[in-house]
Amino acid sequence: MKRKWVFRVASNPEAGGGHVMRSLSLARELHRYEKVHFLLCPGGEYWIEKIKKHGIGVSITSNFDIKNISNFVVDGYDFTDAEFRAWRDNCDRLIFIDDNNLAPVYADVVIAPGIPDYKSPWGNQVVLSGAQYSLLSPEYANSRSLPSISHVKSALITCGLRDSIDCSG
């Protein structure tokens, strides 16, 4: 039997937490209908309990057989071409979450929330681009609070729990 949804997410401390959090937002919704499993980087053990609390399977990449997968979702910047080819060879559909116009030619679906007019250079991909495809966890999406002051003087915007050089930390 094929595994329905597997997420391969950049999750080591140097990657910060943004990839995991947005993938977890999508995975939480998918998990309502299908089995979902996360593959984390060595060093990403911090995320295991946070993912499991949503009933989603999780393992470190060295402990998982990538064969026989229906949908393989990739979120991260530092994966190699050899990794992409191995994933492509072992899944029905490869979905790539793209922030930097780096989607590989063999991705079937590209989700590019930060690139409004994303055009696939390969021409053979389903592309979901623009802010309407942002992956926001329900805790934020369902929030309706507004600032209590009429003029905001400053705001802190962070794209994850920690950046790669720990400036936000």
Side-chain angles (χ1 to χ4, degrees):
M1 183 164 122
K2 286 196 175 200
R3 294 178 184 101
K4 294 293 184 181
W5 290 90
V6 174
F7 284 74
R8 177 60 181 98
V9 183
S11 52
N12 59 5
E14 295 76 26
H19 299 291
V20 175
M21 292 305 293
R22 74 173 169 191
S23 290
L24 186 56
S25 298
L26 179 57
R28 286 170 64 182
E29 291 302 311
L30 288 170
H31 183 64
R32 294 169 54 189
Y33 309 99
E34 303 278 356
K35 282 197 156 235
V36 176
H37 192 89
F38 265 63
L39 295 178
L40 302 177
C41 301
E45 291 81 4
Y46 167 82
W47 296 104
I48 291 174
E49 288 308 312
K50 294 184 180 314
I51 293 167
K52 281 184 176 180
K53 88 172 191 183
H54 296 290
I56 295 171
V58 60
S59 57
I60 302 300
T61 55
S62 59
N63 302 329
F64 190 81
D65 179 11
I66 65 164
K67 291 183 174 60
N68 208 20
I69 297 168
S70 291
N71 304 291
F72 199 87
V73 182
V74 179
D75 190 351
Y77 310 131
D78 297 324
F79 301 118
T80 67
D81 191 58
E83 287 173 300
F84 277 112
R85 289 182 189 279
W87 299 331
R88 173 71 263 165
D89 290 344
N90 288 287
C91 70
D92 296 332
R93 276 171 301 284
L94 181 68
I95 298 117
F96 185 75
I97 301 175
D98 192 359
D99 296 314
N100 298 314
N101 208 18
L102 298 173
V105 65
Y106 25 84
D108 299 297
V109 178
V110 178
I111 303 171
I115 308 172
D117 298 316
Y118 183 98
K119 300 286 188 264
S120 169
W122 318 116
N124 62 338
Q125 299 165 322
V126 173
V127 174
L128 308 173
S129 71
Q132 68 268 31
Y133 296 103
S134 295
L135 301 171
L136 195 60
S137 66
E139 294 83 358
Y140 297 108
N142 297 332
S143 175
R144 300 286 179 235
S145 63
L146 298 172
S148 61
I149 58 174
S150 61
H151 180 72
V152 176
K153 294 179 182 174
S154 61
L156 171 64
I157 299 173
T158 177
C159 296
L161 299 177
R162 187 174 143 210
D163 60 90
S164 61
I165 57 173
D166 202 22
C167 285
S168 60

